[in-house]
Amino acid sequence: MNKTTLICGSLAFDKIMQYHGRFSDALMADQLHKVNVSFLVPTLRTEFGGCSANIAYNLKMLGGDPLIMATIGQDGGEYMERFEQLGIATRAIRKIGHAYTAQCFVTADLDNNQINAFHPGAMQFAHENNVADHGELRVAIIAPDGRDGMLKHATDCAAQRVPFMFDPGQQLPMFSGEELIDFINKASYVAANDYEFEMLMDRTGLTLADIAAKLDALIVTRGEKGSEIYAGGQRFDIPSVKAAAVVDPTGCGDAYRAGLLYGIANGFDWPTTGRLASLLGSIKIASQGGQNHVFTAAEIADRFEKEFGYRF
């Protein structure tokens, strides 16, 4: 069986800066209407990011067959070289020569408060990619991306009869209730964290039972409290896996989704699929950035057996 997984989502560079003071010392509450401040940031690092790349990175290490469908800018050469080194196919990545790759600029202070700026860049042209151009697919995910791209790719997947997971993430507020209902009606799976899911229900007017009834599976994650999978009229409670260290949550949701997609592509049952996803999230959180942790498929199989008492 073809196990190629199409991953529709953003590609981005994350610029992480550390301010060695506190924002509260530089911002005056009664002057916020005319802010003009500058923060000295002695440390700066660039991380490879974007939902599609983070998911593909984890799925590839698991032994999956990820195909990223995304847009990258004129400055994306280093990222494309990285994909080649990782063995991740790039044939579905479109270069937008007149734009920069999406970039998130993050400044954190000593209290871990953050001031962020996001430039969507090439991501705004995601709708120029077509699902039909990429042959037979086992499953797809529509992760956070350009608004028009997410709408188009859902329509494309439905037209091509490719089962897909709708993962709105931080882009959820961009869509109306009617648009979100349309995504749900076309999708086979929906994945969201607990906050996003509350917003999804509020915007659509649908209950959890309403949404689950429309899908093959609904997945709701709850951080260290684990996650729930609603499928076939059943609820499966998935435990969290204790992390070796809690360093950085960036990309944990993407790692979790890679586990879900691997389980779907390989026909695992939902408890096994959810537990694999949970394990990947716990491994990711022990490393900084979304793509700096390393594992092999064999190591994951061994850790899964040690954690849950059986092999997948």
Side-chain angles (χ1 to χ4, degrees), residues 118-308:
F118 182 71
H119 172 64
M123 193 180 85
Q124 298 173 98
F125 302 92
H127 59 278
E128 295 184 6
N129 283 324
N130 301 302
V131 173
D133 293 342
H134 303 296
E136 185 182 353
L137 303 163
R138 171 64 181 86
V139 67
I141 183 170
I142 297 176
D145 204 351
R147 170 189 156 82
D148 292 344
M150 293 176 74
L151 290 166
K152 180 179 186 299
H153 300 152
T155 299
D156 286 356
C157 284
Q160 296 296 312
R161 299 185 182 279
V162 177
F164 73 89
M165 180 178 295
F166 178 47
D167 171 26
Q170 69 269 24
Q171 300 293 66
L172 195 153
M174 294 193 310
F175 301 106
S176 68
E178 291 76 16
E179 288 168 331
L180 291 168
I181 290 172
D182 190 54
F183 273 118
I184 294 167
N185 287 338
K186 289 173 178 171
S188 295
Y189 320 97
V190 167
N193 66 31
D194 46 3
Y195 179 82
E196 294 160 355
F197 188 67
E198 289 295 328
M199 185 183 295
L200 183 63
M201 289 191 292
D202 181 66
R203 290 233 165 172
T204 61
L206 299 174
T207 66
L208 187 153
D210 294 333
I211 295 172
K214 295 174 178 288
L215 302 163
D216 290 344
L218 166 65
I219 302 99
V220 181
T221 62
R222 301 187 183 278
E224 71 273 7
K225 295 180 181 177
S227 51
E228 301 144 17
I229 299 178
Y230 301 85
Q234 299 183 72
R235 167 177 164 162
F236 302 99
D237 290 309
I238 308 300
S240 62
V241 175
K242 185 175 176 58
V246 177
V247 175
D248 181 6
T250 303
C252 287
D254 296 328
Y256 184 100
R257 281 145 182 77
L260 294 177
L261 293 167
Y262 186 85
I264 291 168
N266 288 277
F268 294 173
D269 61 31
W270 285 112
T272 299
T273 297
R275 287 167 179 164
L276 175 60
S278 184
L279 175 59
L280 291 194
S282 76
I283 291 172
K284 207 299 333 147
I285 203 170
S287 295
Q288 208 166 49
Q291 299 175 35
N292 294 317
H293 55 297
V294 178
F295 58 77
T296 66
E299 287 169 346
I300 290 296
D302 289 343
R303 291 186 65 171
F304 185 97
E305 183 177 25
K306 183 178 180 180
E307 184 73 27
F308 301 111

Side-chain angles (χ1 to χ4, degrees), residues 11 52 67-73 79-80 83 88-95 129 134:
L11 291 176
S52 67
L67 177 62
I68 295 173
M69 192 169 80
T71 45
I72 201 164
Y79 218 151
M80 296 296 278
F83 289 138
I88 295 175
T90 59
R91 65 183 182 274
I93 298 176
R94 180 184 295 268
K95 180 180 178 181
N129 283 324
H134 303 296

Side-chain angles (χ1 to χ4, degrees), residues 41-71:
V41 288
T43 60
L44 165 67
R45 74 178 195 274
T46 299
E47 296 283 2
F48 293 103
C51 297
S52 67
N54 291 345
I55 295 169
Y57 178 79
N58 287 278
L59 188 54
K60 185 67 178 181
M61 288 192 292
L62 265 181
D65 183 21
L67 177 62
I68 295 173
M69 192 169 80
T71 45

